[in-house]
Amino acid sequence: MASRRIVLKDPSRFRDPANLTWERYVGLQARERERYLAEKATIPADALAYKTVSPRYLERAIDQFANNYYSEESATHYIATAAANAPFDELKKCCLFQLADEQRHLEMDREVFERAGIPERDWLGAWEAPGTTCRFFRHVLELEDTIEILVKANFVAEGAAGPATFAVLADGAEARGDVLSAVNHRARIRDETRHISFARVLVKALIEDDPENLDVIQRWQDESLQLFAEVARGGERREWWEGFLGSYYKIALPLGLRPSTVSV
Ligand SMILES: [Fe+2]
Ligand SMILES: [Fe+2]
């Protein structure tokens, strides 16, 4: 499908809402890292070695672990492409800081797989199995245009899988004895919130810059949500799917986007 490109004719419409400089970013990440390590240090050794979860939990959790790990792994690649092709510096800066965030998330999720004792040869199969978010991320990895990547991955996907979804995942993991996943999700939320906000500012700027951009963004939204719908197919993750759409529409509808007709 040939996607139409859109440009921000007046780049001064976009400003990083977190107002980060290199110095502020490094300081923020250092504090974040300290906080993460302090939280991890409170996890009892048994729990950290995945001895407190049921064997049945681990069997089923491999899909969730793969969804976490490979979406972060994909993010390190697509956001690097977005940075390399960024049309102006302020946007490039946001992408580069995000690249560092995603690399950290990727390492956190690798540790989960390893501590849970799941052999690396099983990871990719779990990700490529039906019912994961693999189809969506493989699509984004084929894109080269910064604006399209940020609209689809940051605005739609992160906007949907945003804070509410990660809070549900964190609580669910903790209730089953998987404290490391819970700590990881809660750490990740703080960065993802920043990724969503700069994408939101970008989308708003694009629509103000040229109202016709709304149609293209609407089509990118429809394509993205359709690729995600597979996760909810068969009604298995109905509740997850409703929350996912709910989080996204909360940020998208006020900007003039319409709900997508998605076949599940
Ligand atoms: Fe991430
Ligand atoms: Fe992110």
Side-chain angles (χ1 to χ4, degrees), residues 122-196:
D122 296 343
W123 302 0
L124 191 61
W127 171 238
E128 289 174 338
T132 72
T133 55
C134 180
R135 262 56 50 185
F136 170 77
F137 285 103
R138 293 256 159 106
H139 166 71
V140 176
L141 287 170
E142 284 172 6
L143 304 175
E144 293 196 336
D145 180 63
T146 301
I147 308 276
E148 186 173 359
I149 292 171
L150 292 176
V151 168
K152 286 180 168 174
N154 281 40
F155 183 67
V156 181
E158 295 203 87
T165 314
F166 285 122
V168 169
L169 288 176
D171 294 347
E174 190 160 44
R176 290 165 187 83
D178 181 359
V179 193
L180 181 59
S181 287
V183 168
N184 285 359
H185 287 312
R186 286 173 192 140
R188 165 168 27 232
I189 291 172
R190 299 190 280 272
D191 292 330
E192 309 301 10
T193 305
R194 184 157 31 82
H195 307 162
I196 300 164

Side-chain angles (χ1 to χ4, degrees), residues 59-74:
E59 244 168 65
R60 305 183 119 222
I62 179 169
D63 289 351
Q64 185 59 55
F65 293 171
N67 263 315
N68 299 336
Y69 175 79
Y70 285 104
S71 55
E72 300 293 3
E73 198 248 3
S74 306

Side-chain angles (χ1 to χ4, degrees), residues 28-40:
L28 181 123
Q29 271 307 8
R31 287 192 300 278
E32 189 54 48
R33 175 103 192 121
E34 233 169 83
R35 178 172 171 182
Y36 175 71
L37 291 176
E39 279 171 20
K40 214 170 79 173

Side-chain angles (χ1 to χ4, degrees), residues 78-89:
Y78 66 65
I79 203 64
T81 305
N85 297 336
F88 49 92
D89 286 347

